[in-house]
Amino acid sequence: MQVVAVDIGGTHARFAIAEVENRRVVSLGPVMTQKTAEHASLQTAWQAFEAAHDGPLPRAAAISVASPITGDVIRLTNNPWVIRPSLIPERLNAETYTIINDFGAVGHAVAQLPAADFEHLCGPEETGLPTEGVTTVCGPGTGLGVAQVFKHAGEYHVLSTEGGHMDYAPLDGIEDNFVRRLRKIFTRVSAERVVAGPGIIAIYETLAEMEGRAVPSRDDKTIWAEALDGTDSIALAALDRFCLALGSVAGDLALAHGAKAVVIAGGLGLRIKDKLLRSGFDQRFVAKGRFQSMMSKIPVKLITHPQPGLFGAAAAFAQEHQRTAS
């Protein structure tokens, strides 16, 4: 069975045709990426994908959305689109559909992708993920996504969460300064304010101020580019600090979830893969006081599949519509 898979984030909406069978994803076709800012709604972006597609689209939709899925009015967290699930059959001409939180979709991808789509970051170097218990999934992008995958007796269940909005816990004086700067703007400082793409701005500005340098006004894309190519020493230091903070947050989530493994996801996680391996991420992940020994036994992996949101949306559809997905 074919299904239109859609992954809607804060900046981009991605579309592809997926083949699903026996509650699994068999294949994922070529991906079309559109900027959400260039479309008024999901419907107009869908129509643009349909116009570029050779022939009519399948009448089934698997949609992942960067927002909690509650009620019949979904307002995206970092995107002005509004989605009304009850109107999907009418607006998208879809007879069947699944709509899921974006990191819930990534959780389905984590549950179904083979071991080859994961790279070891730290902890015990094991092949594959645990077949029993909880795997925590988290990843920085426009926001900080968090989900859980619970496996038992050959089955799996995905729990979508808003764990990225828990309070951020600074671990040293420099991170205290991050929080002071952010508190002036937001009052409450969540993990997402630090450990997400835009969070690099506050980290960069704090470090520049500590150095007594003029704090230039730069957007997060510029700072990330300068950090990754090494052309700005403060940006590079900000990237190192970002990786440390991500390690701390990932460890906190693993503790809260009782996780047997952790998977780092998101496009930004993939971009900073090499930095994560050399940054001290691993030391921060296990730095949980009396639980350090337990934390050192948790494998942490990075998902390397290029489109886990699309793959996972299709996987969620296959699980929900198992009688028709075969």
Side-chain angles (χ1 to χ4, degrees), residues 69-92:
I69 308 300
T70 55
D72 195 45
V73 179
I74 299 171
R75 302 182 190 278
L76 278 76
T77 307
N78 296 298
N79 173 341
W81 288 2
V82 176
I83 299 172
R84 292 176 172 80
S86 64
L87 296 179
I88 286 175
E90 174 188 337
R91 299 285 176 86
L92 306 184

Side-chain angles (χ1 to χ4, degrees), residues 1-5 16-19 46 49-50 53-62 92-96 317:
M1 174 183 184
Q2 288 192 325
V3 56
V4 180
I17 304 297
E19 184 79 26
W46 179 284
F49 176 64
E50 186 170 32
H53 186 256
D54 184 19
L57 294 178
R59 300 191 65 181
L92 306 184
N93 194 30
E95 293 177 346
T96 54
F317 179 95

Side-chain angles (χ1 to χ4, degrees), residues 63-210:
I63 304 169
S64 82
V65 181
S67 173
I69 308 300
T70 55
D72 195 45
V73 179
I74 299 171
R75 302 182 190 278
L76 278 76
T77 307
N78 296 298
N79 173 341
W81 288 2
V82 176
I83 299 172
R84 292 176 172 80
S86 64
L87 296 179
I88 286 175
E90 174 188 337
R91 299 285 176 86
L92 306 184
N93 194 30
E95 293 177 346
T96 54
Y97 69 89
T98 289
I99 187 161
I100 186 171
N101 168 268
D102 59 339
F103 257 73
V106 173
H108 280 274
V110 167
Q112 291 203 16
L113 285 168
D117 284 306
F118 299 88
E119 184 166 331
H120 181 74
L121 284 178
C122 62
E125 194 161 353
E126 301 173 355
T127 301
L129 291 166
T131 56
E132 291 284 331
V134 173
T135 294
T136 291
V137 185
C138 65
T142 304
L144 176 64
V146 179
Q148 298 170 268
V149 180
F150 175 68
K151 293 182 180 179
H152 177 65
E155 297 288 333
Y156 78 83
H157 301 277
V158 175
L159 303 176
S160 302
T161 84
E162 291 300 324
H165 297 282
M166 67 184 184
D167 290 340
Y168 177 71
L171 204 60
D172 60 24
I174 292 177
E175 293 180 354
D176 288 338
N177 290 335
F178 300 161
V179 173
R180 288 191 192 96
R181 175 177 287 274
L182 286 163
R183 191 175 289 132
K184 293 175 184 177
I185 305 169
F186 302 111
T187 306
R188 176 181 178 271
V189 180
S190 67
E192 181 175 277
R193 298 298 187 190
V194 179
V195 187
I200 199 76
I201 297 173
I203 299 174
Y204 179 88
E205 291 177 348
T206 301
L207 297 180
E209 190 174 76
M210 289 173 59

